[in-house]
Amino acid sequence: MIVEQVQKPTIGYVHSLESFGSVDGPGIRFVSFLQGCRMRCEYCHNPDTWNIGGGTEYTPRQLLDEALKYKNFWGDKGGITVSGGEPLLQIDFLIEYFKLAKEEGVHTCIDTCGMPFTTREPFFSRFEELLKYTDLILFDIKHIDTKGHQRLTGMPNENILEMARYLSDRDFPVWIRHVLVPERTDYDDYLYRLSDFVASLKNVQKFEILPYHKMGVYKYEEMGIRYRLEGIEPPTKERVENARRILRTAEYTGYLDS
Protein backbone atom coordinates (compact mmCIF):
# COMPACT_ATOMS: atom_id res chain seq x y z
CA MET A 1 0.00 0.00 0.00
CA ILE A 2 1.45 3.34 -1.08
CA VAL A 3 0.68 6.28 1.18
CA GLU A 4 1.11 9.68 -0.41
CA GLN A 5 2.69 12.25 1.84
CA VAL A 6 0.98 15.62 1.80
CA GLN A 7 3.46 18.46 2.08
CA LYS A 8 2.56 20.85 4.84
CA PRO A 9 2.35 24.50 3.80
CA THR A 10 5.15 26.81 4.90
CA ILE A 11 3.99 29.02 7.74
CA GLY A 12 5.18 32.54 8.51
CA TYR A 13 4.74 34.20 11.88
CA VAL A 14 3.69 37.82 11.48
CA HIS A 15 3.73 40.42 14.23
CA SER A 16 1.79 43.13 12.38
CA LEU A 17 0.97 44.60 8.97
CA GLU A 18 1.13 48.11 7.55
CA SER A 19 -0.95 48.75 4.44
CA PHE A 20 0.50 52.07 3.32
CA GLY A 21 4.15 52.18 4.37
CA SER A 22 6.09 55.13 2.99
CA VAL A 23 9.54 54.76 4.63
CA ASP A 24 10.36 51.08 4.03
CA GLY A 25 11.51 51.16 0.43
CA PRO A 26 10.49 52.99 -2.74
CA GLY A 27 6.93 54.20 -3.22
CA ILE A 28 3.97 53.00 -1.19
CA ARG A 29 4.61 49.60 0.41
CA PHE A 30 2.64 46.82 2.05
CA VAL A 31 4.90 46.05 5.02
CA SER A 32 4.87 42.78 6.94
CA PHE A 33 6.66 42.84 10.29
CA LEU A 34 7.69 39.27 10.99
CA GLN A 35 7.97 37.89 14.49
CA GLY A 36 11.30 36.87 16.00
CA CYS A 37 14.73 38.41 16.57
CA ARG A 38 17.87 37.19 18.36
CA MET A 39 19.40 40.64 18.75
CA ARG A 40 18.56 42.71 21.80
CA CYS A 41 19.25 46.23 20.55
CA GLU A 42 19.23 48.71 23.41
CA TYR A 43 17.09 51.14 21.42
CA CYS A 44 14.69 48.59 19.90
CA HIS A 45 11.21 50.11 19.75
CA ASN A 46 9.52 46.75 19.08
CA PRO A 47 10.60 44.37 21.89
CA ASP A 48 7.27 42.64 21.37
CA THR A 49 8.72 41.16 18.14
CA TRP A 50 11.58 39.35 19.91
CA ASN A 51 9.74 36.13 20.72
CA ILE A 52 10.37 33.56 17.96
CA GLY A 53 7.29 31.59 16.99
CA GLY A 54 4.74 34.09 18.24
CA GLY A 55 2.49 36.28 16.14
CA THR A 56 -0.23 35.46 13.61
CA GLU A 57 0.25 32.52 11.25
CA TYR A 58 0.09 33.06 7.49
CA THR A 59 0.91 30.94 4.49
CA PRO A 60 2.81 32.79 1.73
CA ARG A 61 -0.31 32.76 -0.44
CA GLN A 62 -2.49 34.18 2.32
CA LEU A 63 -0.09 37.03 3.01
CA LEU A 64 0.31 37.89 -0.66
CA ASP A 65 -3.46 37.87 -1.18
CA GLU A 66 -3.71 40.35 1.69
CA ALA A 67 -1.00 42.53 0.12
CA LEU A 68 -2.56 42.49 -3.35
CA LYS A 69 -5.69 44.16 -1.99
CA TYR A 70 -3.62 47.37 -2.02
CA LYS A 71 -1.82 46.92 -5.34
CA ASN A 72 -3.73 49.76 -7.02
CA PHE A 73 -2.10 52.22 -4.62
CA TRP A 74 1.51 51.18 -5.31
CA GLY A 75 2.07 52.91 -8.64
CA ASP A 76 5.24 52.13 -10.59
CA LYS A 77 7.64 52.00 -7.61
CA GLY A 78 5.67 50.53 -4.73
CA GLY A 79 5.36 46.92 -3.66
CA ILE A 80 5.91 44.73 -0.61
CA THR A 81 8.51 44.96 2.15
CA VAL A 82 9.22 42.35 4.81
CA SER A 83 10.64 43.72 8.05
CA GLY A 84 10.75 42.54 11.64
CA GLY A 85 11.92 41.47 14.03
CA GLU A 86 14.48 39.85 11.76
CA PRO A 87 12.89 38.45 8.59
CA LEU A 88 15.87 36.29 7.58
CA LEU A 89 15.04 34.01 10.52
CA GLN A 90 12.04 32.90 8.42
CA ILE A 91 13.95 32.55 5.16
CA ASP A 92 11.95 29.62 3.74
CA PHE A 93 8.75 31.59 4.18
CA LEU A 94 10.36 34.61 2.48
CA ILE A 95 11.44 32.55 -0.52
CA GLU A 96 7.93 31.26 -1.14
CA TYR A 97 6.30 34.63 -0.46
CA PHE A 98 8.62 36.55 -2.78
CA LYS A 99 8.48 33.89 -5.49
CA LEU A 100 4.70 34.23 -5.59
CA ALA A 101 5.05 38.02 -5.57
CA LYS A 102 7.37 38.03 -8.58
CA GLU A 103 4.86 35.86 -10.47
CA GLU A 104 2.43 38.74 -9.92
CA GLY A 105 5.00 41.35 -11.01
CA VAL A 106 5.36 42.81 -7.51
CA HIS A 107 8.49 44.69 -6.37
CA THR A 108 10.02 42.95 -3.33
CA CYS A 109 12.16 44.37 -0.53
CA ILE A 110 13.72 43.01 2.68
CA ASP A 111 14.49 45.18 5.72
CA THR A 112 17.21 43.34 7.66
CA CYS A 113 20.09 43.81 10.08
CA GLY A 114 21.85 40.80 8.56
CA MET A 115 22.29 39.00 11.87
CA PRO A 116 21.49 35.45 10.63
CA PHE A 117 23.86 35.68 7.64
CA THR A 118 26.47 32.97 7.23
CA THR A 119 28.25 31.38 4.29
CA ARG A 120 27.69 27.98 5.90
CA GLU A 121 24.99 25.62 4.71
CA PRO A 122 22.08 25.26 4.67
CA PHE A 123 21.57 29.01 5.14
CA PHE A 124 23.80 30.24 2.33
CA SER A 125 22.08 28.33 -0.48
CA ARG A 126 18.69 29.44 0.83
CA PHE A 127 19.90 33.04 0.93
CA GLU A 128 21.10 32.87 -2.67
CA GLU A 129 17.73 31.42 -3.65
CA LEU A 130 15.97 34.28 -1.87
CA LEU A 131 18.01 36.88 -3.76
CA LYS A 132 16.57 35.56 -7.05
CA TYR A 133 13.18 36.93 -6.02
CA THR A 134 14.34 40.04 -4.16
CA ASP A 135 14.65 43.48 -5.76
CA LEU A 136 16.10 45.52 -2.90
CA ILE A 137 17.58 45.12 0.57
CA LEU A 138 17.32 47.76 3.27
CA PHE A 139 20.42 46.99 5.33
CA ASP A 140 20.54 48.29 8.90
CA ILE A 141 24.17 48.51 10.06
CA LYS A 142 23.84 48.96 13.80
CA HIS A 143 27.47 49.70 14.69
CA ILE A 144 30.75 49.57 12.77
CA ASP A 145 32.83 48.61 15.82
CA THR A 146 32.69 44.97 16.93
CA LYS A 147 32.80 45.68 20.67
CA GLY A 148 30.39 48.57 20.30
CA HIS A 149 28.03 46.33 18.32
CA GLN A 150 28.21 43.66 21.01
CA ARG A 151 27.32 46.19 23.69
CA LEU A 152 24.51 47.73 21.64
CA THR A 153 22.88 44.54 20.33
CA GLY A 154 24.25 41.60 22.31
CA MET A 155 25.78 40.15 19.12
CA PRO A 156 29.06 40.60 17.19
CA ASN A 157 29.02 42.15 13.72
CA GLU A 158 31.65 40.30 11.68
CA ASN A 159 29.09 38.21 9.76
CA ILE A 160 26.96 41.31 9.17
CA LEU A 161 29.82 43.19 7.54
CA GLU A 162 30.59 40.01 5.58
CA MET A 163 27.04 40.07 4.23
CA ALA A 164 27.48 43.70 3.18
CA ARG A 165 30.65 42.80 1.27
CA TYR A 166 28.98 39.78 -0.33
CA LEU A 167 26.07 41.87 -1.58
CA SER A 168 28.58 44.40 -2.93
CA ASP A 169 30.43 41.65 -4.80
CA ARG A 170 27.07 40.58 -6.23
CA ASP A 171 26.29 44.23 -7.08
CA PHE A 172 22.93 43.69 -5.40
CA PRO A 173 20.96 46.92 -4.76
CA VAL A 174 21.13 48.06 -1.12
CA TRP A 175 19.95 51.02 0.92
CA ILE A 176 22.02 51.40 4.09
CA ARG A 177 20.41 52.59 7.31
CA HIS A 178 22.19 53.62 10.49
CA VAL A 179 20.59 54.66 13.78
CA LEU A 180 22.42 57.58 15.40
CA VAL A 181 22.47 56.99 19.16
CA PRO A 182 24.17 59.38 21.61
CA GLU A 183 26.74 57.62 23.83
CA ARG A 184 26.65 54.57 21.53
CA THR A 185 27.14 55.28 17.81
CA ASP A 186 27.33 59.10 17.76
CA TYR A 187 31.11 59.46 17.92
CA ASP A 188 33.06 60.93 15.02
CA ASP A 189 35.59 58.10 15.06
CA TYR A 190 32.88 55.49 14.57
CA LEU A 191 31.19 57.63 11.92
CA TYR A 192 34.40 58.02 9.90
CA ARG A 193 35.01 54.26 10.08
CA LEU A 194 31.46 53.57 8.94
CA SER A 195 31.83 56.14 6.16
CA ASP A 196 34.97 54.41 4.86
CA PHE A 197 33.33 50.99 5.01
CA VAL A 198 30.20 52.02 3.13
CA ALA A 199 32.32 53.90 0.56
CA SER A 200 34.17 50.63 -0.12
CA LEU A 201 30.89 49.01 -1.24
CA LYS A 202 29.82 49.44 -4.86
CA ASN A 203 26.11 48.68 -4.55
CA VAL A 204 24.79 51.32 -2.13
CA GLN A 205 21.99 53.35 -3.71
CA LYS A 206 20.96 55.27 -0.60
CA PHE A 207 22.39 55.97 2.86
CA GLU A 208 19.99 57.07 5.59
CA ILE A 209 20.60 58.35 9.10
CA LEU A 210 17.80 57.47 11.51
CA PRO A 211 17.97 59.57 14.69
CA TYR A 212 17.41 57.57 17.87
CA HIS A 213 13.98 58.09 19.45
CA LYS A 214 12.15 56.88 22.55
CA MET A 215 8.75 56.11 21.05
CA GLY A 216 8.79 52.47 22.15
CA VAL A 217 9.79 52.96 25.79
CA TYR A 218 6.24 52.35 27.01
CA LYS A 219 6.40 48.80 25.64
CA TYR A 220 9.29 47.99 27.97
CA GLU A 221 7.24 49.20 30.90
CA GLU A 222 4.27 47.12 29.81
CA MET A 223 6.44 44.02 29.32
CA GLY A 224 8.42 44.48 32.54
CA ILE A 225 11.76 44.83 30.73
CA ARG A 226 14.41 47.28 31.88
CA TYR A 227 15.06 49.99 29.27
CA ARG A 228 18.84 50.21 29.07
CA LEU A 229 19.07 53.65 27.45
CA GLU A 230 17.22 55.40 30.27
CA GLY A 231 18.34 59.03 30.43
CA ILE A 232 19.77 59.16 26.89
CA GLU A 233 18.01 61.76 24.77
CA PRO A 234 17.66 61.79 20.95
CA PRO A 235 20.59 63.41 19.07
CA THR A 236 20.48 67.13 18.40
CA LYS A 237 19.91 68.47 14.89
CA GLU A 238 23.55 69.53 14.86
CA ARG A 239 24.77 66.00 15.58
CA VAL A 240 22.46 64.53 12.94
CA GLU A 241 23.82 66.98 10.35
CA ASN A 242 27.36 66.20 11.51
CA ALA A 243 26.72 62.50 10.91
CA ARG A 244 25.28 63.14 7.46
CA ARG A 245 28.35 65.21 6.58
CA ILE A 246 30.86 62.59 7.79
CA LEU A 247 28.95 59.74 6.18
CA ARG A 248 28.47 61.74 2.96
CA THR A 249 24.89 60.53 2.71
CA ALA A 250 24.00 63.09 0.03
CA GLU A 251 26.40 61.38 -2.38
CA TYR A 252 24.35 58.16 -2.51
CA THR A 253 21.75 58.99 -5.13
CA GLY A 254 21.39 55.74 -7.07
CA TYR A 255 17.89 55.31 -5.66
CA LEU A 256 16.74 58.29 -7.70
CA ASP A 257 17.38 56.36 -10.92
CA SER A 258 16.07 52.98 -9.81
Side-chain angles (χ1 to χ4, degrees), residues 96-146:
E96 292 190 32
Y97 180 44
F98 278 14
K99 186 175 182 179
L100 290 173
K102 297 315 294 180
E103 291 173 359
E104 300 279 355
V106 175
H107 184 278
T108 56
C109 176
I110 302 171
D111 180 8
T112 176
C113 68
M115 181 276 298
F117 180 81
T118 177
T119 55
R120 295 192 296 270
E121 298 295 351
F123 177 88
F124 189 61
S125 294
R126 305 304 289 157
F127 184 70
E128 289 193 306
E129 178 73 9
L130 176 61
L131 292 184
K132 296 178 183 178
Y133 313 111
T134 305
D135 294 305
L136 176 67
I137 289 180
L138 307 184
F139 201 158
D140 185 1
I141 297 181
K142 308 286 188 180
H143 206 307
I144 192 61
D145 183 77
T146 299

Side-chain angles (χ1 to χ4, degrees), residues 26-201:
I28 301 299
R29 321 284 306 174
F30 179 87
V31 186
S32 306
F33 297 91
L34 300 194
Q35 187 75 27
C37 187
R38 293 196 177 102
M39 280 190 179
R40 293 296 181 263
C41 299
E42 291 183 309
Y43 58 76
C44 180
H45 58 276
N46 287 318
D48 45 340
T49 66
W50 290 348
N51 181 37
I52 296 174
T56 303
E57 295 185 2
Y58 283 85
T59 66
R61 183 74 256 175
Q62 287 172 334
L63 188 58
L64 184 62
D65 286 345
E66 183 66 26
L68 291 176
K69 295 177 183 178
Y70 305 92
K71 189 174 183 180
N72 290 338
F73 299 98
W74 296 344
D76 296 331
K77 291 192 174 183
I80 61 174
T81 296
V82 178
S83 186
E86 173 46 61
L88 292 181
L89 291 176
Q90 300 191 50
I91 194 167
D92 289 333
F93 178 79
L94 287 189
I95 291 170
E96 292 190 32
Y97 180 44
F98 278 14
K99 186 175 182 179
L100 290 173
K102 297 315 294 180
E103 291 173 359
E104 300 279 355
V106 175
H107 184 278
T108 56
C109 176
I110 302 171
D111 180 8
T112 176
C113 68
M115 181 276 298
F117 180 81
T118 177
T119 55
R120 295 192 296 270
E121 298 295 351
F123 177 88
F124 189 61
S125 294
R126 305 304 289 157
F127 184 70
E128 289 193 306
E129 178 73 9
L130 176 61
L131 292 184
K132 296 178 183 178
Y133 313 111
T134 305
D135 294 305
L136 176 67
I137 289 180
L138 307 184
F139 201 158
D140 185 1
I141 297 181
K142 308 286 188 180
H143 206 307
I144 192 61
D145 183 77
T146 299
K147 290 183 179 179
H149 194 279
Q150 184 88 41
R151 178 188 182 188
L152 184 66
T153 72
M155 296 281 186
N157 70 349
E158 289 89 349
N159 66 310
I160 293 168
L161 301 183
E162 183 182 21
M163 176 174 161
R165 295 187 191 97
Y166 172 74
L167 292 173
S168 175
D169 292 341
R170 287 279 303 265
D171 201 21
F172 192 93
V174 161
W175 293 7
I176 299 289
R177 290 171 156 182
H178 180 65
V179 180
L180 189 69
V181 188
E183 302 182 34
R184 295 295 188 272
T185 64
D186 187 14
Y187 292 99
D188 286 3
D189 175 59
Y190 291 148
L191 294 172
Y192 278 113
R193 288 169 58 188
L194 178 60
S195 179
D196 290 342
F197 176 77
V198 174
S200 74
L201 308 175

